[in-house]
């Protein structure tokens, strides 16, 4: 039973992450130049709030609802980071920054965070369906 769970959820989360990442990257590439860079401050603020909320939840609350807010909020947040990071990488490249390792690492971390959150969402939906 656990094998069927792994065989269906992991590929679904991976394909979903690829679809989200690919479509948002293309949207950022075809958008007007520097139109998504304003998101940087909001995204960093949101990330700080998610981290503080998660620590507060672990230490004091232990609420499942706050955990769900972290998972869904983090998914939305990292979708915004894909838009922001893609346009930031293009701007940095146009200004002469050719550090492709750092650029690819930024996008890889965005992809991993989206994949991880989709995996948690799909696993919790599967668990609810089984019960």
């Amino acid at each position: 039973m656990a094998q069927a769970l792994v065989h269906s959820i992991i590929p679904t989360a991976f394909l979903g992450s690829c679809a989200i990442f690919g479509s948002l990257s293309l949207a950022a590439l075809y958008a007007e130049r520097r139109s998504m860079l304003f998101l940087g401050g909001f995204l960093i603020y949101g990330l700080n709030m998610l981290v503080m909320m998660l620590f507060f939840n672990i230490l004091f609350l232990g609420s499942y609802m706050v955990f769900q807010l972290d998972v869904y909020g983090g998914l939305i947040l990292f979708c915004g980071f894909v838009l922001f990071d893609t346009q930031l990488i293009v701007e940095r490249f146009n200004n002469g920054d050719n550090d492709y390792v750092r650029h690819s690492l930024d996008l890889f971390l965005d992809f991993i965070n989206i994949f991880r959150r989709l995996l948690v969402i799909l696993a919790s939906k599967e668990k609810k369906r089984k019960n």
Side-chain angles (χ1 to χ4, degrees), residues 4 19 22 27 33-34 37 42-43 54 57-58 62 65-66 73 80 84 88-89 96-97 114 116 123 128:
R33 187 174 175 187
R34 291 183 278 182
L37 294 182
F42 297 113
L43 293 171
L54 189 60
N57 188 36
I58 289 171
M65 193 62 112
V66 174
F84 174 74
L88 187 63
I89 288 168
D97 183 7
I114 290 172
R116 190 172 57 93
K128 280 184 185 178

Side-chain angles (χ1 to χ4, degrees), residues 3-4 14 39 45 90 104 110 114:
Q3 290 290 352
F14 181 74
L39 292 172
Y45 176 75
V90 169
S104 60
D110 294 341
I114 290 172

Side-chain angles (χ1 to χ4, degrees), residues 85-98:
D85 285 341
T86 302
Q87 281 206 338
L88 187 63
I89 288 168
V90 169
E91 280 304 308
R92 284 181 177 166
F93 182 78
N94 288 336
N95 291 329
D97 183 7
N98 296 330

Side-chain angles (χ1 to χ4, degrees), residues 16-69:
S17 299
C18 288
I20 290 170
F21 185 83
S23 62
L24 290 175
S25 290
L26 284 175
L29 288 173
Y30 286 112
E32 186 178 330
R33 187 174 175 187
R34 291 183 278 182
S35 64
M36 304 285 179
L37 294 182
F38 76 95
L39 292 172
F42 297 113
L43 293 171
I44 294 298
Y45 176 75
L47 188 61
N48 285 334
M49 294 308 295
L50 276 178
V51 167
M52 287 191 306
M53 182 181 62
L54 189 60
F55 282 139
F56 187 73
N57 188 36
I58 289 171
L59 294 176
F60 301 112
L61 296 176
S63 170
Y64 181 72
M65 193 62 112
V66 174
F67 173 73
Q68 288 294 325
L69 181 65

Side-chain angles (χ1 to χ4, degrees), residues 70-71 74-75 78 112-121:
D70 174 63
V71 171
L75 180 62
F78 282 103
I112 291 299
N113 280 302
I114 290 172
F115 174 71
R116 190 172 57 93
R117 281 172 167 73
L118 278 180
L119 202 58
V120 169
I121 291 169

